[in-house]
Amino acid sequence: MSSQPYKTLMEAQRDRRVLDLYDQLIEVEQRLIPTGLHVFGRPSEDAERADMLRMIASFDRPEAGVRALPDLVSENLGLGSYDALFKSASLDQARLSDRERIDSVVAAAIREFLEAGSEVAASLLERTSKIKRQDSLPVFALLEEISKQLETNNEIEALLRALRGEFIAPGPGADIVQNPAILPTGRNTHAVNPYTIPSIMAFARAEAVAWSLLERYLAENGRYPGAIALVLWGLDNIKTQGEGVAQALWLLGVRPVRDALNRVTEVEAIPLEELKRPRIDVVMTISGIFRDLFSPTVLLLDKAVRLVAQLDEPPEMNYLRRHVMEQVRNEVCPLDDAVARVFSNAPGNYGTNVNFMVMDSQWDRDETLGDLFVTRKCFAYGRDSQGRAVEGREARVALDQALGRVEATYQNIDTFEIGITDVDHYFEYLGGISKAVETRAQARPSIYLSDSLSRDARIRSLEETVRLESRAKTLNPKWYEGMLNHGFRGVAEIESHVSNTFGWSATADAVDDWIYTEVAQTFVLDEAMLERLRTLNPHSVHSLVGRLLEAHGRGYWDADVKLMDQLREISGSLEDQIEGVA
Ligand code: BEZ
Ligand code: MG
């Protein structure tokens, strides 16, 4: 800080930048990262359990009458709402220190709880933050129950029972932080009643996310997006009780209506005076799993689109209606084509295959990946204007047209455990659709993701998310050393993260040069590391180097010539090793 009474502009900018960087460091630090693979039949280890419990204690649990620990600490220290602090921390040094103070009290309480039990942890909170024991003890009672369940593991026993054809107790399938009732593991997972989707809670939570998404676009572009393409998955909507579905409804400006049996079967328009913004056109591509599990929800989404298209509202406040009307007028196309917004694979088909095309390096023109996405996903679902069921009508032109108007693409991340570089499905869907939009709209869309589980419903651009995942996982020694404890399989996981990162270059050119450079430096150019990797699994490290060479070859990575020569040489020596020449 400057000793002068007024900071110069440069000093103010410097301080702002430092705070911003610091905020980003905290974001990486606080991410819950899996530090290794799950080993079937083995309960979680102590450090992992501590992180998990801290995350679980960070959310209100109204069903157990338990408040979130950070809120309790913040309020009892007289610092007000933790959410407000969380949102404003990056703007102000004092707020950031307050947030750090709260986070460190929470971490100390969890440590104390694990080492000495609930009573001692409650005393610590009473001493440091004046939290009454009657407020903190219920939190620890819940954590005690969860901690015990994390220590037990019935997976092998349950598998043997299943093989003997015996009964296995059922349990919900969800994200552990969102719903700790999934414990103990080793149960017969049940999913969801589609008629409860979206739940009241999911609809409430989705409002903030939909707003953040629109505000972010507005801040970057000075207006709302005319149309947004959404990716909806089945498992996500099970885990979140339909947050993705609820986000789609919010963007359209409609709310679910429950019937006498409490089933969501209808929607109603939220009046524009209440919505206070235009209704956004949404193009929904749903996975095959979503289509199969949520057929009433598919009908609900289609119904919502048709309802909004029919509202007598000015075009500048109802983008969906404006687009449908323009299409019917200009192309003299049937209303059923112009209003199709729910697309999936042909019945019985799953996936986009974009991931396979990328992994096998089987494309040469930029638009091929997006075209493949459309070929796989151009089947419309819902009802037609006569009320007849439409179950996978091929509607390629309708999808091409709808994507041609899209200005932003978005997908919700539903879990702390799996992010956009852990599996190839995020880039096959969100990357695939973004590439399809780029060709059809002749402009790359803004690509966004959110953690539906984070407290501040933060929307991130794809580029920010790739950076965050690279720092928190692929390039983080805590993560890769955890993986390397698994030997052969661990190296395969590292390679798979690099390939999935490459998937974001192929579909969206969203990977910074420094990420590839640091991957090369960390795993290939560091001699001791390379030695470890090639001893454990030469095949995967050979593929990893191959992927780096491909990233350079396809123009995704602007790398130094000398560095590329080194990589080529190492690739050759790995090949020799695999072929038994060396
Ligand atoms: C789904 O839950 O819909 C899904 C799961 C894995 C890959 C793609 C979609
Ligand atoms: Mg680049």
Side-chain angles (χ1 to χ4, degrees):
M1 286 290 157
S2 162
S3 56
Q4 298 158 356
Y6 298 103
K7 286 183 201 170
T8 63
L9 185 60
M10 265 182 55
E11 283 171 330
Q13 279 171 342
R14 176 203 59 195
D15 290 351
R16 177 86 207 83
R17 178 93 186 105
V18 170
L19 270 178
D20 211 35
L21 278 174
Y22 191 59
D23 190 47
Q24 287 182 29
L25 271 177
I26 291 185
E27 187 180 29
V28 176
E29 190 199 355
Q30 291 195 335
R31 259 181 117 67
L32 185 69
I33 54 157
T35 47
L37 299 166
H38 175 64
V39 177
F40 193 76
R42 190 188 291 169
S44 50
E45 296 183 350
D46 290 352
E48 197 187 346
R49 194 151 67 233
D51 278 349
M52 203 81 96
L53 293 176
R54 181 176 54 77
M55 282 316 292
I56 290 171
S58 302
F59 290 87
D60 280 335
R61 308 272 163 203
E63 69 284 3
V66 162
R67 295 282 318 279
L69 270 189
D71 293 271
L72 280 175
V73 175
S74 184
E75 288 160 23
N76 284 279
L77 286 174
L79 299 172
S81 130
Y82 183 74
D83 272 338
L85 200 59
F86 200 93
K87 284 198 183 110
S88 62
S90 62
L91 305 174
D92 168 347
Q93 174 96 46
R95 305 286 280 168
L96 194 62
S97 318
D98 287 343
R99 186 175 115 187
E100 274 194 316
R101 184 168 154 213
I102 296 167
D103 294 342
S104 76
V105 170
V106 170
I110 299 289
R111 265 198 312 275
E112 199 76 343
F113 162 76
L114 284 169
E115 278 166 21
S118 297
E119 290 293 336
V120 183
S123 303
L124 178 138
L125 287 178
E126 197 170 30
R127 220 172 40 245
T128 54
S129 344
K130 305 192 203 79
I131 299 178
K132 292 197 197 79
R133 302 172 77 78
Q134 72 252 35
D135 290 332
S136 67
L137 281 172
V139 182
F140 295 117
L142 177 71
L143 295 186
E144 219 161 286
E145 203 179 308
I146 295 169
S147 183
K148 251 190 246 129
Q149 288 174 333
L150 281 169
E151 279 169 51
T152 51
N153 190 302
N154 304 326
E155 291 165 4
I156 290 182
E157 170 60 17
L159 175 64
L160 292 174
R161 289 179 72 89
L163 292 173
R164 290 195 296 261
E166 292 172 5
F167 174 76
I168 302 170
D175 178 82
I176 183 170
V177 176
Q178 207 195 32
N179 184 6
I182 64 158
L183 296 169
T185 56
R187 287 186 294 169
N188 194 358
T189 307
H190 62 74
V192 74
N193 169 0
Y195 285 106
T196 61
I197 294 297
S199 70
I200 293 171
M201 178 87 148
F203 191 68
R205 286 178 59 92
E207 182 180 11
V209 180
W211 260 119
S212 302
L213 176 61
L214 293 177
E215 274 170 6
R216 170 96 195 228
Y217 187 92
L218 184 64
E220 288 174 350
N221 298 278
R223 57 182 176 79
Y224 290 115
I228 299 184
L230 304 178
V231 173
L232 295 175
W233 283 355
L235 299 179
D236 289 32
N237 281 285
I238 291 173
K239 289 186 205 165
T240 62
Q241 300 286 302
E243 274 185 37
V245 171
Q247 288 158 5
L249 297 181
W250 273 112
L251 292 169
L252 287 166
V254 302
R255 61 167 71 91
V257 178
R258 281 158 224 277
D259 69 10
L261 297 174
N262 209 23
R263 302 179 319 160
V264 181
T265 46
E266 288 297 331
V267 282
E268 68 183 14
I270 300 168
L272 286 174
E273 311 83 76
E274 200 181 312
L275 197 60
K276 297 191 172 63
R277 57 159 171 87
R279 300 184 197 280
I280 312 297
D281 187 353
V282 290
V283 185
M284 293 161 272
T285 41
I286 64 175
S287 68
I289 297 180
F290 185 108
R291 171 202 59 202
D292 295 352
L293 291 176
F294 289 107
S295 42
T297 319
V298 170
L299 295 181
L300 188 83
L301 290 168
D302 178 60
K303 207 180 250 186
V305 169
R306 287 173 177 273
L307 170 76
V308 170
Q310 283 163 18
L311 294 172
D312 184 11
E313 290 172 341
E316 70 280 7
M317 290 305 284
N318 186 333
Y319 299 160
L320 176 81
R321 180 179 170 80
R322 185 176 78 201
H323 296 152
V324 170
M325 289 303 160
E326 276 169 8
Q327 197 172 337
V328 170
R329 221 176 17 247
N330 297 345
E331 294 168 37
V332 206
C333 87
L335 182 68
D336 281 329
D337 273 349
V339 86
R341 290 293 183 280
V342 186
F343 295 90
S344 187
N345 300 80
N349 266 317
Y350 302 83
T352 72
N353 291 357
V354 169
N355 46 341
F356 301 129
M357 192 178 258
V358 170
M359 290 303 178
D360 295 342
S361 308
Q362 293 295 323
W363 84 104
D364 43 23
R365 283 176 315 124
D366 216 28
E367 61 270 29
T368 309
L369 296 170
D371 291 348
L372 176 60
F373 182 93
V374 169
T375 303
R376 296 284 298 171
K377 286 285 172 188
C378 66
F379 297 84
Y381 286 81
R383 285 194 193 282
D384 67 13
S385 353
Q386 314 298 315
R388 291 174 300 220
V390 175
E391 289 175 355
R393 176 174 65 88
E394 186 167 0
R396 190 176 180 114
V397 176
L399 180 56
D400 279 337
Q401 294 283 341
L403 292 179
R405 289 184 291 255
V406 164
E407 294 178 303
T409 57
Y410 167 73
Q411 185 166 4
N412 194 35
I413 300 187
D414 68 308
T415 169
F416 286 103
E417 290 180 297
I418 299 183
I420 65 164
T421 56
D422 289 297
V423 291
D424 55 6
H425 299 304
Y426 284 105
F427 81 74
E428 68 155 321
Y429 273 85
L430 184 65
I433 200 168
S434 301
K435 186 52 88 183
V437 167
E438 188 177 325
T439 316
R440 284 152 187 80
Q442 278 156 27
R444 183 182 184 277
S446 303
I447 310 172
Y448 300 112
L449 293 119
S450 71
D451 285 308
S452 72
L453 295 172
S454 71
R455 291 192 53 121
D456 57 347
R458 188 180 292 201
I459 298 290
R460 295 189 184 90
S461 69
L462 173 61
E463 290 79 357
E464 288 164 354
T465 315
V466 171
R467 279 178 214 130
L468 181 59
E469 287 251 328
S470 302
R471 289 184 173 120
K473 289 185 185 156
T474 320
L475 297 169
N476 179 353
K478 199 169 154 190
W479 180 85
Y480 62 71
E481 288 297 343
M483 285 300 160
L484 289 176
N485 288 335
H486 297 275
F488 185 91
R489 182 66 224 162
V491 187
E493 281 295 318
I494 295 170
E495 187 281 325
S496 146
H497 275 70
V498 174
S499 284
N500 293 332
T501 305
F502 170 86
W504 291 114
S505 282
T507 55
D509 196 15
V511 186
D512 299 336
D513 290 325
W514 68 262
I515 294 178
Y516 288 118
T517 306
E518 289 203 15
V519 165
Q521 275 161 356
T522 307
F523 299 111
V524 192
L525 302 177
D526 177 324
E527 280 178 34
M529 177 58 85
L530 179 63
E531 201 46 43
R532 283 172 74 194
L533 298 182
R534 70 194 301 169
T535 309
L536 292 169
N537 180 345
H539 304 277
S540 290
V541 68
H542 180 244
S543 307
L544 185 154
V545 177
R547 203 59 87 186
L548 289 173
L549 293 172
E550 187 178 3
H552 176 70
R554 289 189 183 267
Y556 305 145
W557 177 27
D558 184 11
D560 188 274
V561 179
K562 207 170 115 241
L563 194 154
M564 294 316 296
D565 286 343
Q566 276 175 293
L567 288 185
R568 262 180 230 110
E569 199 185 309
I570 292 170
S571 175
S573 104
L574 285 162
E575 217 163 282
D576 290 348
Q577 181 185 343
I578 291 166
E579 287 167 3
V581 179

